[in-house]
Amino acid sequence: MIKKHNARSKLVFSLLLSIGIILIALILSYLLSDNNLVTNFAQKSLPPSWNHIFGTDWLGRDMFTRTLKGLRLSLVVGFIGAFVGACIASILGIVAATFGKKADAVISWFVDMFIGMPHLVFIILISFMVGGGVKGVILGVGLTHWPSLTRIIRNEVMSIKNSEYIKLSRNLGKSKTFIVFQHILPHILPQIMVGFLLLFPHAILHEAAITFLGFGLSVQTPSIGLILSEAVKHISVGDWWLAVFPGLMLILVVESFDSIGEQFRILINPNSANQ
């Protein structure tokens, strides 16, 4: 019993630590002054110091401020993209499991097709088709991050749709829509939340990747991907900090979200939580 309690306490502590890291990054991004982003050639390309802990770039802008504000934008884009993907996955997963074999076959075919396509290429195509920018990135991420979660939700609904309480509701003449919203959706909501949390880090990484390649956000809306893309041009002259610190912050935030998703999944699973 003591071991179970200690394991659960460590799990909760790790979850709170991951949440704390993300909240600190977000709060600092709002507290840091935009004056640190003003061009100042007298301080250009300064290495990390107490005055500029992440150094400055080739225009004299503080990299710590740029990194945190870029992370904030990446988080917003990732959040909306992951939310869109989770909504699509929830709708398709429920429809596939509750609206007959034909619906299941069609949706399963789409899931297999999308899983077989490279995410990054598909995101670039969608972003390019809608004109790029924030809208293009969000649509690209949202429309490519639903297949795996759709399959999970479909399997979960399949496992509960023949439960006694659902059979009773069906025998009482309740519609499929009523059964979905009153019985199925509340049951699978925790799985949807976990799926959303696990989609988040993938969405952030893919946003950074396509922006790095020049197909994502514009230069007027800098994100971590844009910062890294710009840094590549200056690494050869010795400005290593322009890529190292933003890259480490991106990894830290992505790993934190991935950890939150995994720990939340364990906490809501009675079998896992008691291990």
Side-chain angles (χ1 to χ4, degrees):
M1 183 65 70
I2 294 176
K3 289 183 178 180
K4 291 181 180 179
H5 177 72
N6 290 338
R8 191 175 183 87
S9 298
K10 290 179 180 179
L11 191 66
V12 173
F13 174 77
S14 180
L15 178 63
L16 293 176
L17 178 63
S18 298
I19 294 173
I21 290 172
I22 294 168
L23 287 177
I24 289 172
L26 283 174
I27 292 171
L28 285 176
S29 71
Y30 283 102
L31 293 179
L32 291 170
S33 173
D34 289 337
N35 293 331
N36 295 330
L37 302 179
V38 175
T39 300
N40 184 357
F41 289 106
Q43 296 185 345
K44 68 177 183 178
S45 299
L46 295 179
S49 64
W50 288 113
N51 293 329
H52 303 283
I53 59 175
F54 283 7
T56 63
D57 64 8
W58 62 98
L59 294 177
R61 297 172 295 186
D62 182 63
M63 284 302 297
F64 183 67
T65 303
R66 287 198 76 204
T67 298
L68 290 183
K69 290 186 180 294
L71 269 177
R72 184 180 71 194
L73 179 60
S74 295
L75 287 172
V76 171
V77 173
F79 175 87
I80 300 175
F83 179 79
V84 171
C87 289
I88 294 173
S90 301
I91 294 171
L92 294 181
I94 292 173
V95 169
T98 58
F99 283 79
K101 292 183 179 180
K102 289 185 178 179
D104 187 22
V106 171
I107 292 174
S108 296
W109 180 81
F110 272 106
V111 168
D112 293 337
M113 182 184 69
F114 273 80
I115 287 179
M117 297 178 66
H119 271 180
L120 198 57
V121 174
F122 206 29
I123 294 173
I124 291 174
L125 289 175
I126 294 174
S127 179
F128 181 77
M129 288 173 59
V130 299
V134 175
K135 180 179 69 174
V137 174
I138 290 174
L139 286 176
V141 171
L143 294 177
T144 56
H145 284 70
W146 55 267
S148 297
L149 183 56
T150 298
R151 185 172 288 173
I152 293 172
I153 293 174
R154 179 249 183 207
N155 293 339
E156 185 69 23
V157 176
M158 282 288 190
S159 67
I160 66 170
K161 72 174 187 177
N162 292 322
S163 302
E164 291 299 326
Y165 67 96
I166 293 181
K167 288 182 179 179
L168 179 60
S169 183
R170 194 180 297 122
N171 292 335
L172 290 174
K174 300 298 183 181
S175 65
K176 288 183 178 180
T177 304
F178 178 89
I179 293 173
V180 166
F181 282 98
Q182 296 298 321
H183 300 309
I184 294 177
L185 193 57
H187 182 87
I188 65 171
L189 190 58
Q191 283 76 17
I192 294 174
M193 292 179 62
V194 171
F196 165 74
L197 289 172
L198 293 176
L199 283 180
F200 212 138
H202 292 280
I204 295 172
L205 281 176
H206 279 119
E207 178 277 317
I210 66 171
T211 301
F212 176 83
L213 294 173
F215 297 97
L217 303 178
S218 65
V219 293
Q220 288 77 25
T221 53
S223 66
I224 289 296
L226 181 64
I227 291 172
L228 292 175
S229 178
E230 293 174 343
V232 170
K233 306 172 186 176
H234 299 270
I235 291 178
S236 60
V237 297
D239 295 351
W240 55 268
W241 57 87
L242 299 180
V244 170
F245 291 118
L248 288 176
M249 287 298 297
L250 176 62
I251 293 173
L252 179 62
V253 169
V254 168
E255 286 297 321
S256 296
F257 269 109
D258 191 58
S259 176
I260 290 171
E262 287 293 336
Q263 291 153 3
F264 187 69
R265 178 185 62 81
I266 295 172
L267 285 174
I268 68 172
N269 187 332
N271 296 325
S272 300
N274 291 325
Q275 288 177 355

